[in-house]
Amino acid sequence: MLELAPADPEATAFLADARAALTLPRQPTAPTRLLLGDLSTMPDGPEPVRPDVMEPRLAAYDLYETALKRHTARKFATQATACEATGVGIRQWHSCREAAVLSLLAAAEEHAPAEDRPWHAARLNLYATAHGLKGWYRDHSGGRLCIHVNRIRRRADRDQGQHYVLDTGPLRTQHRYWVVDRDNGRPVYRSHSGHIARQWIGEAEPA
C-alpha cells in the first residue's frame, strides 16, 4: 500500500507566515511564453442556482452541486490564464510566476466535477511539462483528489529543495526522522538522527 508522509511542515509554516505578514501582490515578472490563452474548449454549463428549500428531488441538488463545481473550476482556470499573461494574482509566498499559475491550475482541477476534470488535468500537465515544474503531485489516497503544491522547482533549480526532513515524533523510538520527497510525498530515507537525515539530503542534492 502506498505510504504518504504528512504535510510538509516547512512549506506549511512558510505559507502561514507569509500570509500573515504579506498581503500585497508581488510585482509581476517578465512575461513568459503563453500556453493557457485558449479557453474556448473549457467545459461550460448553466449557472449554479440553489434549489428551493422545499424541492423534494435529490437530482435537483446534484445538478446544483455539479454546476457550482464547474463554475468554481472555470473561475480558477480563467485566473490561471490571466496570471500567466499579466502576473495578476502572484503573492509573496509564490517563488515565481509559474508557481502561482500552477497553484491556480491545481485548484481548477480539484474543484471541477468528475466529467470536466480530464480537461483541467491536461492543462495542468501541459503547463508543468512545458516549464519543467517539480515539487507537486496528485494524491487520491483519501478517497478524493488532492493536488499538493509544495516548494515549486524550475529546471534551473534542478534537485535543490526536492527533499525535507520530517520529525515524526517521540513515539517512534527508531527512525524518527524521515526524508520526504516533495515530488510525490513519499519517505525515501529514515534515520534515528536529524543530523544524519539532513546529511543524506546534502549528498542527494549536490549544489
Side-chain angles (χ1 to χ4, degrees), residues 105-117:
L105 292 172
E109 182 181 342
E110 281 186 336
H111 285 82
E115 58 267 32
D116 297 354
R117 196 164 287 160

Side-chain angles (χ1 to χ4, degrees), residues 115-176:
E115 58 267 32
D116 297 354
R117 196 164 287 160
W119 188 90
H120 293 281
R123 204 164 180 248
L124 172 55
N125 292 341
L126 170 68
Y127 188 80
T129 300
H131 291 282
L133 303 180
K134 296 182 179 180
W136 68 280
Y137 63 94
R138 295 181 176 93
D139 177 15
H140 297 270
S141 61
R144 60 183 295 273
L145 173 65
C146 180
I147 303 177
H148 297 266
V149 180
N150 298 314
R151 189 171 296 177
I152 297 302
R153 309 189 312 280
R154 293 180 288 186
R155 287 192 181 93
D157 300 319
R158 297 186 294 176
D159 294 332
Q160 291 297 312
Q162 180 176 352
H163 304 93
Y164 68 94
V165 176
L166 174 69
D167 183 352
T168 60
L171 295 181
R172 292 183 181 270
T173 57
Q174 293 183 343
H175 301 145
R176 168 176 172 172

Side-chain angles (χ1 to χ4, degrees), residues 95-106:
S95 59
C96 57
R97 180 185 297 221
E98 290 82 3
V101 174
L102 188 138
S103 297
L104 291 166
L105 292 172

Side-chain angles (χ1 to χ4, degrees), residues 1-6 141 168 172 178 180 184-188 190:
M1 181 178 179
L2 175 64
E3 184 179 13
L4 292 174
S141 61
T168 60
R172 292 183 181 270
W178 292 8
V180 180
N184 53 35
R186 302 178 188 178
V188 295
R190 296 177 174 88

